[in-house]
């Protein structure tokens, strides 16, 4: 199969990679670039564990072909903290214990960050709808919603 | 799929030429939220993927006189961010907002939702109710096809080899018009319609209905335009009697499957209920503008 050379900016770093046309962006991130923070849950766009942003647009990376990423800017969970300094959402997820097994957490954090960028002061209902594309089988969502609402307050200060 | 080729042409002519010349299985890629899933679960094994998102005609939203035209590959999210379109066609947006999750709507398009040809596609009944016409281009030229005529069966469309749905034209909206779409699902988000109903109507100055279109989803092998249901509204003040006639006509049009998500009896009954409720919302919206 012919490989395509793509050039993207991932978490601010310019990245060149050869991809096969069948590979999803999720496969490229994990298997070619070894950015394994982005998780595969369902691989059908139902669970949101593989959420990333492409040019600021929140997507499931399992539903994007790697070749489509050429010329785009991608943000993954690896770019969320600044060095050792966690993002307020990450801090609040820990503080509120908004995770158990953790497989959905990177996707939830990416989706929550995107939500707060679009709506810095959401209501509880807006948070619940905003994160409806991210499934979690452990927490029952309550602590996740509390953490996001708390982070929103901190981030507005 | 061993030798899958990916092409991202920048013109309609190049896209139709690529699709026409392919002897194997070719698929058009817009948002990919159906095609990529089908590809990775081996439901389809394409030899050629033609990504149409670099073609301007497929990605623009524009006014033509008083009418709206939007590209078939415009994402749900892009439509949701277009304030005037939302104000003009709230019923279409009722359907678009129900496509998958935020992540899915960031990619999924109305053109893809239509061409995937599921009877349960949420954006299709309100597009049919709106009177949307698809502009299609292919190796033998261009043609316009009403949206209700595109899907011919589950997973099947009337499109010929090499043809692409380019854009949708929505008619100019007369004053006192409103549209709405409702669906029934067990969950509020991330679910597939068990029944869907779209209603689009126009009132005169005295509150009588002068024009209406009613469409149903998930109650037959294809989304349905139900003329009898529209006739039940036209010429009335959309009162209780007209609403009951609408519901009866909607029920009569149903030819649903019986499955774990809804029995024939349930789907038929709910089609009448949703048609009525959607008409009530459309009526309220028509009165407000």
């Amino acid at each position: 199969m012919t490989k395509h050379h793509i050039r993207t900016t991932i978490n601010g770093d310019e990245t060149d990679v050869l991809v096969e046309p069948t590979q999803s962006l999720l496969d490229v991130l994990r298997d070619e670039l070894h950015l394994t923070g982005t998780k595969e849950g369902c691989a059908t766009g139902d669970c949101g564990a593989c959420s990333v942003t492409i040019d600021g647009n929140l997507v499931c990376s399992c539903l994007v072909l790697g070749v489509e990423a050429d010329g785009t800017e991608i943000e993954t969970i690896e770019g969320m903290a600044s060095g050792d300094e966690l993002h307020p959402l990450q801090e609040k997820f820990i503080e509120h214990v908004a995770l158990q097994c953790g497989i959905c957490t990177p996707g939830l954090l990416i989706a929550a960050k995107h939500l707060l960028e679009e709506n810095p002061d959401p209501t509880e209902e807006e948070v619940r709808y905003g994160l409806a594309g991210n499934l979690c089988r452990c927490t029952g969502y309550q602590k996740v919603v509390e953490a996001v609402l708390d982070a929103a307050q901190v981030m507005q200060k | 799929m061993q030798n899958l080729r990916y092409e991202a042409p920048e013109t309609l002519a190049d896209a139709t030429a690529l699709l026409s010349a392919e002897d194997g299985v070719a698929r058009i890629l817009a948002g990919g939220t159906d095609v990529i899933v089908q590809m990775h679960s081996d439901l389809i094994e394409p030899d050629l993927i033609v990504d149409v998102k670099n073609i301007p005609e497929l990605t623009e939203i524009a006014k033509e006189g008083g009418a709206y035209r939007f590209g078939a590959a415009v994402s749900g999210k892009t439509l949701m961010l277009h304030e005037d379109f939302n104000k003009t066609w709230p019923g279409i947006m009722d359907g678009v907002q129900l496509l998958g999750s935020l992540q899915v709507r960031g990619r999924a398009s109305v053109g893809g939702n239509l061409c995937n040809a599921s009877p349960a596609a949420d954006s299709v009944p309100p597009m049919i109710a709106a009177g949307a016409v698809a502009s299609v281009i292919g190796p033998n030229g261009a043609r316009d096809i009403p949206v209700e005529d595109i899907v011919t069966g589950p997973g099947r469309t009337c499109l010929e080899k090499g043809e692409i749905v380019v854009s949708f034209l929505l008619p100019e909206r007369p004053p006192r018009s409103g549209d709405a779409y409702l669906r029934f699902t067990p969950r509020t988000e991330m679910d597939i319609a068990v029944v869907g109903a779209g209603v689009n109507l126009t009132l005169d100055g005295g509150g009588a209905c002068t024009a209406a279109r009613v469409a149903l989803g998930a109650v037959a092998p294809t989304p349905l335009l139900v003329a009898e249901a529209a006739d039940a509204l036209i010429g009335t003040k959309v009162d209780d009697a007209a609403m009951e006639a609408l519901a009866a006509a909607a029920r009569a049009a149903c030819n649903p499957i019986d499955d774990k998500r809804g029995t024939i009896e349930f789907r038929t009954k709910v089609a009448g209920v949703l048609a009525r409720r959607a008409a009530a919302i459309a009526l309220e919206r028509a009165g407000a503008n």
Side-chain angles (χ1 to χ4, degrees):
Chain A
M1 203 166 336
T2 316
K3 287 201 173 189
H4 293 249
H5 170 222
I6 64 165
R7 175 169 289 182
T8 73
T9 305
I10 301 180
N11 303 322
D13 297 330
E14 215 168 80
T15 307
D16 289 89
V17 59
L18 288 174
V19 307
E20 293 185 356
T22 52
Q23 281 182 299
S24 67
L25 175 60
L26 174 65
D27 293 338
V28 173
L29 290 172
R30 290 183 57 87
D31 301 341
E32 306 297 334
L33 300 170
H34 310 295
L35 293 169
T36 54
T38 305
K39 303 303 181 193
E40 178 177 279
C42 65
T44 53
D46 293 298
C47 79
C50 65
S51 297
V52 300
T53 61
I54 302 179
D55 293 334
N57 189 25
L58 182 70
V59 299
C60 290
S61 59
C62 74
L63 294 185
V64 179
L65 294 180
V67 286
E68 292 182 80
D70 192 32
T72 63
E73 288 195 19
I74 295 170
E75 284 187 37
T76 72
I77 189 65
E78 284 87 352
M80 199 157 177
S82 315
D84 288 338
E85 196 183 324
L86 294 180
H87 187 279
L89 274 162
Q90 293 172 307
E91 296 271 10
K92 290 299 176 188
F93 265 56
I94 294 169
E95 193 182 314
H96 288 266
V97 199
L99 68 155
Q100 286 178 35
C101 85
I103 196 114
C104 71
T105 311
L108 269 167
L109 285 166
I110 290 285
K113 180 165 175 269
H114 182 265
L115 171 73
L116 295 185
E117 279 162 5
E118 295 206 329
N119 182 0
D121 189 20
T123 63
E124 182 188 329
E125 189 178 350
E126 285 167 342
V127 171
R128 288 185 185 277
Y129 273 99
L131 300 179
N134 294 78
L135 300 186
C136 171
R137 299 292 78 169
C138 302
T139 61
Y141 304 103
Q142 185 60 31
K143 288 166 188 287
V144 173
V145 173
E146 286 169 7
V148 174
L149 287 169
D150 197 1
Q153 295 311 307
V154 172
M155 287 165 67
Q156 284 184 86
K157 279 180 191 156
Chain B
M1 208 161 71
Q2 282 306 309
N3 291 305
L4 175 68
R5 279 192 304 140
Y6 168 87
E7 301 281 355
E10 292 178 5
T11 66
L12 288 172
D14 286 350
T16 53
L18 281 164
L19 290 165
S20 308
E22 177 58 48
D23 291 327
V25 177
R27 280 289 186 280
I28 294 170
L29 176 70
T33 53
D34 286 309
V35 167
I36 294 174
V37 175
Q38 290 161 4
M39 203 167 99
H40 285 154
S41 55
D42 297 328
L43 287 171
I44 56 168
E45 292 191 13
D47 301 287
L48 172 68
I49 291 278
V50 177
D51 185 343
V52 292
K53 292 191 294 295
N54 292 333
I55 304 172
E57 289 92 333
L58 273 109
T59 54
E60 289 168 350
I61 307 175
K63 272 271 179 89
E64 287 184 8
Y68 261 111
R69 180 182 291 283
F70 70 94
V74 170
S75 75
K77 178 157 185 203
T78 303
L79 274 178
M80 286 169 71
L81 292 174
H82 195 295
E83 231 171 273
D84 188 64
F85 187 88
N86 283 258
K87 231 178 101 188
T88 311
W89 291 105
I92 293 176
M93 297 314 297
D94 289 340
V96 169
Q97 284 170 35
L98 291 168
L99 299 178
S101 58
L102 282 179
Q103 285 90 329
V104 169
R105 289 190 292 275
R107 297 259 298 164
S109 64
V110 173
N113 200 217
L114 175 65
C115 293
N116 186 54
S118 160
D122 281 311
S123 69
V124 177
M127 286 285 283
I128 292 174
V133 175
S135 295
V136 174
I137 199 153
N140 300 319
R143 56 180 179 141
D144 291 331
I145 308 175
V147 166
E148 59 269 25
D149 294 337
I150 297 267
V151 180
T152 54
R156 291 202 315 271
T157 68
C158 69
L159 299 175
E160 287 164 18
K161 186 178 162 74
E163 282 193 320
I164 301 171
V165 175
V166 177
S167 61
F168 299 103
L169 184 67
L170 295 158
E172 185 171 354
R173 215 92 167 92
R176 294 177 298 277
S177 296
D179 65 330
Y181 172 76
L182 290 173
R183 70 167 183 187
F184 175 83
T185 53
R187 300 191 295 178
T188 54
E189 286 278 296
M190 296 296 285
D191 210 340
I192 298 168
V194 179
V195 180
V199 176
N200 175 30
L201 52 79
T202 299
L203 306 175
D204 67 16
C209 176
T210 55
R213 286 170 68 91
V214 177
L216 298 175
V219 292
T222 67
L224 299 177
L225 174 66
V226 188
E228 297 78 9
D231 290 342
L233 299 178
I234 296 168
T236 74
K237 292 221 162 178
V238 196
D239 51 16
D240 255 4
M243 285 290 207
E244 194 36 56
L246 161 77
R251 287 194 296 269
C254 293
N255 175 26
I257 55 169
D258 212 352
D259 70 3
K260 63 179 177 185
R261 298 173 54 250
T263 61
I264 291 171
E265 192 187 3
F266 179 80
R267 287 174 195 254
T268 305
K269 180 171 182 184
V270 172
V273 173
L274 289 189
R276 226 187 132 134
R277 290 183 188 168
I281 298 169
L283 185 66
E284 197 186 315
R285 288 174 176 169
N289 64 38

